Amino acid sequence: MPLPDFTESGDLPRGRHPATLDEVITRFGSGSPQRLAATDALKRIVRLAIGTGFLDRIIIFGSYVSDKPKPNDVDVILVMQNDFRAEECSEETALLFDHSRSDNELGASIFWVRPDMLFGEPLDNFLAFWETKRGGQLRGIVEVTV
């Protein structure tokens, strides 16, 4: 199922929209130098996250998955398996699990979570939080199918 058209506000319609990485790159990965840089960062993030062997889900939200010609960065949530331990990652992969470092070195805003870190809150509720923009408007987010 292809990603839906943008709303009048330039976002995807509310909800979680599944897409392959190739579909995401085809839809959002070209145009301005900012989009190209964010796409390169996204590819590296996906490669490193999959390489851990503990990745469950990748969620993309924010300006990268909007019609904004020059997104600020790529915003990503990595949902890791409960037995994942960030401190056991290689130096390169550890970049994904240090928010400041990923922002500085990748130009990406990466958040990560294990379901056992949510204190009983359902994972879907946690992910739905990211569908709300700062002003309270609702938007769609993309779940990359890997």
Side-chain angles (χ1 to χ4, degrees), residues 89-137:
C89 291
S90 70
E91 180 67 21
E92 181 184 23
T93 302
L95 166 70
L96 302 180
F97 307 102
D98 181 328
H99 190 80
S100 295
R101 190 172 160 215
S102 62
D103 185 40
N104 291 332
E105 294 181 33
L106 287 173
S109 189
I110 303 174
F111 303 89
W112 73 276
V113 66
R114 294 184 319 248
D116 67 354
M117 296 166 68
L118 298 176
F119 304 107
E121 178 184 3
L123 180 60
D124 283 339
N125 289 357
F126 172 80
L127 295 176
F129 169 81
W130 300 96
E131 294 177 28
T132 305
K133 295 171 73 167
R134 287 187 183 115
Q137 301 160 314

Side-chain angles (χ1 to χ4, degrees), residues 44-119:
R44 184 173 177 199
I45 292 164
V46 171
R47 177 181 56 82
L48 291 171
I50 290 171
T52 67
F54 293 96
L55 178 68
D56 268 342
R57 297 161 116 169
I58 299 175
I59 307 295
I60 308 169
F61 64 101
S63 60
Y64 182 78
V65 292
S66 76
D67 70 353
K68 188 174 181 180
K70 298 177 181 179
N72 302 324
D73 59 7
V74 60
D75 299 294
V76 178
I77 302 167
L78 301 175
V79 179
M80 307 303 288
Q81 296 171 9
N82 282 334
D83 52 347
F84 169 74
R85 299 293 174 261
E87 60 274 8
E88 296 174 7
C89 291
S90 70
E91 180 67 21
E92 181 184 23
T93 302
L95 166 70
L96 302 180
F97 307 102
D98 181 328
H99 190 80
S100 295
R101 190 172 160 215
S102 62
D103 185 40
N104 291 332
E105 294 181 33
L106 287 173
S109 189
I110 303 174
F111 303 89
W112 73 276
V113 66
R114 294 184 319 248
D116 67 354
M117 296 166 68
L118 298 176
F119 304 107

Side-chain angles (χ1 to χ4, degrees), residues 10-58:
D11 294 306
L12 292 172
R14 180 181 182 195
R16 200 167 321 135
H17 306 284
T20 66
L21 182 59
D22 287 342
E23 290 170 325
V24 170
I25 291 169
T26 297
R27 176 78 180 268
F28 304 108
S30 62
S32 68
Q34 292 90 333
R35 279 209 171 272
L36 296 172
T39 300
D40 287 343
L42 178 61
K43 289 177 189 176
R44 184 173 177 199
I45 292 164
V46 171
R47 177 181 56 82
L48 291 171
I50 290 171
T52 67
F54 293 96
L55 178 68
D56 268 342
R57 297 161 116 169
I58 299 175

